[in-house]
Amino acid sequence: MLIAAVHIAAAEDFRGCAAAEHFFPGVFSAVFGGRVGVPLKPDPSAADELFEVLDVKANEVIYIGDSGVDMQTAKNAAFTALGVLWGFRTKDELINGGAKFIAENPLDCVVLGTAKRLESSDSFNNYVFKRGRKYR
């Protein structure tokens, strides 16, 4: 089963949480924004809490982000880091931040998510997008 969640970095970013719920109703199992007393990214505390609430193990998570800070958050939480190129940062920043995979378009995320669920059957290693190149 694929579980989608949102982790927004900005402190007390209720607008981002509301936007996720408004534009994608029913898509996300959880939406977390920054909260007073919870460290911001790249500290993994909020991300760890989010996935604990969802009862998901770190090795089951693909953490998608568009910045080096997002990649560091994933690394610090022991999640698989997927950098997306339609955000605000360059491919080099994402890779240097710890991205294990790079997505050039949203379909890449879907393919990787599907392959990750089938990881034990070699699909993950045979059909993934790694640092901008597709491996088969």
Side-chain angles (χ1 to χ4, degrees):
M1 175 174 63
L2 182 62
I3 298 172
V6 176
H7 173 214
I8 300 169
E12 299 179 30
D13 190 345
F14 300 111
R15 292 172 297 172
C17 293
E21 291 295 327
H22 175 76
F23 291 109
F24 305 100
V27 170
F28 300 108
S29 299
V31 179
F32 275 30
R35 296 180 313 283
V36 174
V38 178
L40 296 176
K41 296 176 187 177
D43 185 285
S45 300
D48 288 340
E49 181 185 358
L50 174 61
F51 293 104
E52 184 177 319
V53 166
L54 295 172
D55 194 29
V56 177
K57 296 178 180 83
N59 67 346
E60 298 172 322
V61 174
I62 300 172
Y63 195 90
I64 301 171
D66 65 355
S67 72
V69 171
D70 290 333
M71 301 303 99
Q72 281 294 314
T73 303
K75 184 177 177 181
N76 292 343
F79 300 153
T80 299
L82 170 60
V84 298
L85 295 180
W86 58 88
F88 298 104
R89 302 292 187 247
T90 66
K91 182 177 180 178
D92 286 342
E93 179 182 331
L94 296 170
I95 291 170
N96 291 336
K100 183 173 181 181
F101 303 99
I102 295 293
E104 294 180 359
N105 62 66
L107 183 58
D108 293 351
C109 297
V110 174
V111 170
L112 180 61
T114 301
K116 179 79 171 159
R117 289 186 296 148
L118 302 172
E119 188 170 352
S120 62
S121 69
D122 290 333
S123 294
F124 187 67
N125 294 319
N126 293 329
Y127 196 170
V128 296
F129 295 84
K130 187 170 185 176
R131 297 199 173 170
R133 295 183 304 209
K134 184 166 38 173
Y135 287 81
R136 286 187 183 250

